[in-house]
């Protein structure tokens, strides 16, 4: 494995336990980990990466996405709808997807994330039409070279049973659990430094049965993998929970084994004080997706209250049908801005938002080996060129979310270079975009 010396960074924001910020420092990556941090380090045969004029941070972490949605951006009819109407417009389109759509869209969506400095991403795939499998997106992640937490999602309650999705998109519950076991056995790597992990992730409480939620939690604990779903996203979601289950989403989750430090929920816009306390006390994590929450008019998640209570919070770009981009820097900046809209200009600093997008996300995904630059932690490193127009006049390098680039100059994952000089180093991006455009046109009937 390569040996890299990142030399002379203007500033390294480590996000280590002491939150050290080191000016003019070097960073050595060797054997997939951060091997040394200091000034004037001996090259010792390393490939030298000059970082003068640059900010160096841990690679950003994306805790919630639906990669395949990058094929359904700005779909007319889904541009201005609330969550349930938005889903009903998109379900019929998604039901035409197959293995090629999932692989091609994942390639593009993961490349887009990598270019925004993201070194580790989760994906919530809950659609498996026409022979699609989780294997398709995992294959794309290996090609891009990003650390990947695939989740085996599912929907089992179709329209004929009072659910939201069309019957053609739902699966039999026994088959869902069988396939969860298959993909965990085939792909989940529990070791430190794992490049692929798998979690169990029924789509949401309104698309699967109570029994599947419960059985999924039992299976995940038996296999030692994490649990993920959508929870308390908007008012419709809360109303559904009250009408169908007679309780709020937090109570529903708790009753079925869906709280704990091995669980993370997407959105949680509508958590109340009691639910926030429950999440804090149980160590249940939250994937905060501010762009999607704005786009679908869902509201502002109470992230300040969650963080103050001790809830683990990470950032998620969510799918590109509700974002519509997959830029993690933009997402972290919006997270900061929305808390200020809700609670004032001192509600969240640029440093705190960057911490949520790095160390916070790693914690939500159960990866204490990632999300910070400290000796022995994984070599996931983003180098930001502060010499461009976005940062011209910036007085505080660490405040990249106030004034800085939204694309990374270089990105290392497990010590391997994924982005070099602002371009993807691992695959032919033009070719990937061409395949994506062709498929999008085909599904639009154009
Ligand atoms: Zn989502």
């Amino acid at each position: 494995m390569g040996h890299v010396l990142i030399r002379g960074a203007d500033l390294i924001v480590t996000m280590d336990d002491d939150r050290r910020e080191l000016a003019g420092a070097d960073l050595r990556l060797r054997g997939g980990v951060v091997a040394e941090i200091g000034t004037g380090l001996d090259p010792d045969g390393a490939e030298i990466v000059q970082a003068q004029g640059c900010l160096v941070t841990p690679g950003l972490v994306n805790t919630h996405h639906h990669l395949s949605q990058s094929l359904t951006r700005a779909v007319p009819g889904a541009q201005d709808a609330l969550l349930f109407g938005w889903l009903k417009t998109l379900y019929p389109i998604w039901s035409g997807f197959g293995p090629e759509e999932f692989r091609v869209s994942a390639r593009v969506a993961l490349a887009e994330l990598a270019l925004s400095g993201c070194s580790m991403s989760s994906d919530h795939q809950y659609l498996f039409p026409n022979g699609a499998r989780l294997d398709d997106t995992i294959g794309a992640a290996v090609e891009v070279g990003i650390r990947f937490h695939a989740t085996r999602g599912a929907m089992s309650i179709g329209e004929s049973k009072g659910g939201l999705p069309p019957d053609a998109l739902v699966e039999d519950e026994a088959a869902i659990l069988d396939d969860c076991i298959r993909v965990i056995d085939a792909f989940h790597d529990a070791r430190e430094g794992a490049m692929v992990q798998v979690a169990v992730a029924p789509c949401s409480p309104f698309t699967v049965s109570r029994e599947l939620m419960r059985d999924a939690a039992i299976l995940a604990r038996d296999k030692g993998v994490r649990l993920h779903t959508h929870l308390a996203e908007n008012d419709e979601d809360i109303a559904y929970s009250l009408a169908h289950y007679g309780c709020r989403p937090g109570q529903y989750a708790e009753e079925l084994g869906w709280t704990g430090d091995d669980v993370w929920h997407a959105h949680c816009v509508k958590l109340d004080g009691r639910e926030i306390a429950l999440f804090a006390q149980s160590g249940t994590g939250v994937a905060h997706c501010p762009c999607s929450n704005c786009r679908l008019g869902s509201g502002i998640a109470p992230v300040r209250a969650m963080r103050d209570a001790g809830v683990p919070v990470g950032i998620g770009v969510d799918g590109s049908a509700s974002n519509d981009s997959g830029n993690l820097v933009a997402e972290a900046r919006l997270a900061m801005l929305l808390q200020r809209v809700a609670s004032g200009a001192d509600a969240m600093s640029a440093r705190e938002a960057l911490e949520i997008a790095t160390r916070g996300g790693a914690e939500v995904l159960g990866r204490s080996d990632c999300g910070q630059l400290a000796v022995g932690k994984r070599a996931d490193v983003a180098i930001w060129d502060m010499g461009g127009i976005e940062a011209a006049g910036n007085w505080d390098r660490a405040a990249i979310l106030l004034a800085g680039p939204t694309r990374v100059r270089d990105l290392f994952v497990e010590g391997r270079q994924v982005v070099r000089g602002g371009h993807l180093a691992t695959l032919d991006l033009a070719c990937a975009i061409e395949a994506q455009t062709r498929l999008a046109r085909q599904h639009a009937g154009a």
Side-chain angles (χ1 to χ4, degrees):
M1 193 170 291
H3 168 201
V4 173
L5 183 65
I6 298 167
R7 184 179 252 178
D10 277 14
L11 190 71
I12 300 179
V13 174
T14 65
M15 294 296 168
D16 67 4
D17 291 346
D18 300 321
R19 306 298 190 271
R20 286 184 307 156
E21 296 180 1
L22 308 169
D26 303 343
L27 190 68
R28 188 188 309 283
L29 316 180
R30 183 148 54 186
V33 298
V34 174
E36 203 177 0
I37 306 177
T39 46
L41 297 184
D42 179 1
D44 193 20
E47 177 196 339
I48 305 288
V49 175
Q50 297 292 353
Q52 285 88 357
C54 294
L55 166 71
V56 174
T57 69
L60 307 188
V61 178
N62 180 40
T63 57
H64 185 68
H65 208 327
H66 310 286
L67 300 172
S68 62
Q69 289 183 13
S70 64
L71 263 177
T72 48
R73 287 173 149 162
V75 169
Q79 289 184 16
D80 309 311
L82 290 176
L83 176 65
F84 283 15
W86 174 87
L87 283 169
K88 283 183 166 171
T89 303
L90 291 165
Y91 282 145
I93 301 170
W94 294 337
S95 68
F97 286 8
E100 189 190 6
E101 281 80 357
F102 283 96
R103 182 140 190 159
V104 166
S105 58
R107 223 179 256 148
V108 167
L110 289 170
E112 186 183 19
L113 279 173
L115 290 168
S116 76
C118 174
S119 55
M120 172 159 65
S121 181
S122 178
D123 178 43
H124 191 180
Q125 186 177 339
Y126 56 84
L127 301 164
F128 298 92
N130 308 307
R133 302 191 304 167
L134 205 60
D135 314 40
D136 307 321
T137 46
I138 292 173
V142 171
E143 285 178 67
V144 175
I146 199 168
R147 209 180 287 283
F148 193 52
H149 283 221
T151 74
R152 207 302 181 182
M155 299 196 294
S156 63
I157 304 196
E159 270 170 332
S160 64
K161 290 186 189 159
L164 204 64
D167 288 352
L169 271 183
V170 304
E171 299 175 273
D172 170 70
E173 296 198 342
I176 290 167
L177 292 169
D178 280 349
D179 196 50
C180 285
I181 294 169
R182 180 188 72 81
V183 292
I184 292 166
D185 290 347
F187 297 110
H188 181 70
D189 182 355
R191 294 170 298 181
E192 198 166 303
M195 288 298 289
V196 177
Q197 292 204 343
V198 176
V200 176
C203 183
S204 66
F206 57 84
T207 51
V208 302
S209 74
R210 204 182 165 85
E211 290 69 35
L212 185 68
M213 289 296 284
R214 186 201 56 211
D215 291 349
I218 293 168
L219 170 66
R221 302 232 154 83
D222 181 50
K223 288 284 190 185
V225 302
R226 302 176 79 75
L227 283 165
H228 180 52
T229 192
H230 294 98
L231 202 79
E233 182 165 349
N234 70 355
D235 290 331
E236 292 169 295
D237 202 348
I238 302 294
Y240 187 94
S241 186
L242 291 170
H244 288 76
Y245 307 125
C247 63
R248 290 184 51 88
Q251 188 186 340
Y252 186 70
E254 188 183 25
E255 282 175 10
L256 296 173
W258 277 80
T259 51
D261 62 7
D262 54 355
V263 183
W264 85 105
H265 294 288
H267 301 302
C268 299
V269 174
K270 296 293 175 180
L271 287 194
D272 66 14
R274 234 151 110 190
E275 291 168 314
I276 290 171
L278 167 69
F279 275 40
Q281 163 253 318
S282 57
T284 308
V286 170
H288 172 46
C289 307
C291 281
S292 172
N293 298 158
C294 286
R295 164 77 143 78
L296 295 173
S298 301
I300 302 174
V303 174
R304 181 70 276 145
M306 291 177 191
R307 294 264 303 170
D308 289 346
V311 177
V313 180
I315 300 288
V317 297
D318 205 0
S320 290
S322 68
N323 183 318
D324 301 65
S325 89
N327 185 304
L328 211 43
V329 176
E331 201 71 34
R333 176 173 160 82
L334 186 60
M336 170 187 75
L337 295 177
L338 275 186
Q339 292 311 301
R340 293 172 177 222
V341 170
S343 311
D346 59 354
M348 184 174 287
S349 69
R351 277 176 173 75
E352 184 179 8
L354 185 61
E355 178 176 323
I356 294 171
T358 52
R359 190 181 167 115
E363 186 188 357
V364 164
L365 295 181
R367 296 300 299 263
S368 57
D369 56 340
C370 299
Q372 53 180 299
L373 300 176
V375 171
K377 300 294 182 186
R378 307 320 298 182
D380 295 359
V381 185
I383 303 179
W384 310 90
D385 182 357
M386 301 298 276
I389 196 160
E390 316 89 342
N394 172 317
W395 288 35
D396 178 7
R397 294 292 194 234
I400 183 176
L401 297 180
L402 289 175
T406 56
R407 277 179 73 150
V408 79
R409 190 194 81 177
D410 298 295
L411 179 73
F412 293 85
V413 182
E414 192 71 359
R416 298 182 201 100
Q417 193 145 18
V418 171
V419 178
R420 180 181 291 117
H423 298 283
L424 214 63
T426 47
L427 60 77
D428 183 340
L429 186 59
C431 188
I433 292 171
E434 195 184 313
Q436 171 98 329
T437 305
R438 178 179 53 78
L439 283 176
R441 287 207 181 118
Q442 192 180 306
H443 284 277

